[in-house]
Amino acid sequence: MELAGLKSNIRSLQSGLLDLLYPPRCMVCGREGGHPLCSKCLDAARPVPTPFCNRCMYSSLVEDVTAGCTQCGELKPVFDKVRAPATFESPIRDAVLALKYGFRESMAQPLGQMMSEYLKSEPFGPETADLIIPVPLHSSRFRERGFNQSEALAREVSRGNSIPMSAHALIRTRRTRPQASLKLADRRANVAGAFAVRDVVEVQGKRVILIDDVLTTLFTANECSRVLRESGAKSIWVLGAAKTCESAE
């Protein structure tokens, strides 16, 4: 047996022994055998309640919300549609926060697979996307975190739907403050002019899926969409792991 194969077998044996001694547990509920997110937590994901705006997915009691959607009126969307498979509430909320702030990169796998399966239901319509692009982190924040959570999710969606991903088609040109720490009135200004397309040819004429973790007021997604549209993107669909049901981020 080659040395590389022997080392691989030893690592597998060590991993198996560790699993016997310390059974893997769900990072959200602690249940054994469901690492990093168990099937019960995934099954508890609640879809965004209908009716909602066909464009921004803002939930409303009004059936024909598109004509008078308050979210769209405030946002003035550049993207074509927003979709997410679940509402931003526990246990999916806990899973997203573990990924984003708890540095649990492994959580991207089950969340990304949930998004991938949702995309197969054609939430944006029958057209197939040409390119998947994650919302970028600034280089300084990437160094702090060690990974981009949106890129980790995008990788799973790309793999599950056989759509190419470009991790660096979009870049963040300046470090912004976390949107969650700001009042609604300050969030648009915080991300204004914070993104750029690295290579116009890469996105020109393409149907793009923009991947983010949590979708709320959508100012970040809209600013990313603006530069993608200015660079010639044909369609821009925004896909998140979860969507808040409120109109304010």
Side-chain angles (χ1 to χ4, degrees):
M1 180 181 291
E2 293 184 359
L3 181 60
L6 179 61
K7 288 182 177 179
S8 177
N9 287 343
I10 291 173
R11 284 195 298 268
S12 296
L13 179 61
Q14 289 173 333
S15 178
L17 289 172
L18 285 173
D19 285 348
L20 285 173
L21 293 171
Y22 306 101
R25 295 178 178 272
C26 174
M27 291 181 182
V28 171
C29 72
R31 187 176 286 104
E32 285 187 12
H35 184 82
L37 188 64
C38 71
S39 58
K40 188 169 183 179
C41 284
L42 274 172
D43 291 343
R46 188 171 73 97
V48 175
T50 55
F52 53 71
C53 174
N54 187 52
R55 192 165 192 182
C56 75
M57 214 180 189
Y58 168 50
S59 296
S60 172
L61 295 177
V62 181
E63 288 290 341
D64 186 18
V65 72
T66 308
C69 176
T70 55
Q71 181 95 330
C72 284
E74 170 65 25
L75 184 66
K76 298 177 176 55
V78 180
F79 50 75
D80 295 287
K81 278 185 182 180
V82 161
R83 291 293 183 270
T87 57
F88 188 56
E89 58 186 16
S90 296
I92 297 302
R93 178 183 183 275
D94 299 330
V96 171
L97 293 180
L99 169 66
K100 189 169 184 176
Y101 300 116
F103 307 103
R104 304 287 189 175
E105 188 176 4
S106 61
M107 194 63 79
Q109 189 261 341
L111 290 173
Q113 285 189 354
M114 177 182 69
M115 296 166 70
S116 179
E117 290 303 310
Y118 176 72
L119 185 59
K120 291 174 184 176
S121 71
E122 300 183 349
F124 301 113
E127 284 189 293
T128 302
D130 302 305
L131 189 64
I132 289 175
I133 298 176
V135 171
L137 284 181
H138 189 265
S139 56
S140 60
R141 186 156 285 133
F142 184 90
R143 287 193 295 271
E144 292 170 2
R145 188 169 294 169
F147 67 97
N148 176 1
Q149 72 279 0
S150 295
E151 180 183 337
L153 292 170
R155 191 174 296 112
E156 294 295 331
V157 178
S158 171
R159 184 183 297 120
N161 290 272
S162 301
I163 302 171
M165 183 193 78
S166 177
H168 305 293
L170 269 178
I171 57 172
R172 195 177 288 243
T173 56
R174 60 179 175 81
R175 179 163 179 156
T176 57
R177 295 170 64 189
Q179 290 286 78
S181 68
L182 301 175
K183 294 180 179 179
L184 177 62
D186 299 324
R187 295 185 180 193
R188 188 193 302 272
N190 185 50
V191 295
F195 303 96
V197 172
R198 187 189 61 173
D199 183 359
V200 172
V201 174
E202 191 173 18
V203 303
Q204 198 167 35
K206 300 290 180 61
R207 291 167 295 204
V208 173
I209 294 178
L210 180 69
I211 299 289
D212 205 355
D213 46 22
V214 183
L215 306 174
T216 324
T217 56
L218 305 169
F219 288 140
T220 298
N222 205 42
E223 186 63 19
C224 289
S225 299
R226 182 184 65 79
V227 296
L228 287 168
R229 188 75 76 187
E230 289 175 353
S231 297
K234 180 181 178 180
S235 301
I236 303 166
W237 302 314
V238 182
L239 178 63
K243 174 79 173 67
T244 62
C245 292
E246 299 80 19
S247 61
E249 193 171 39

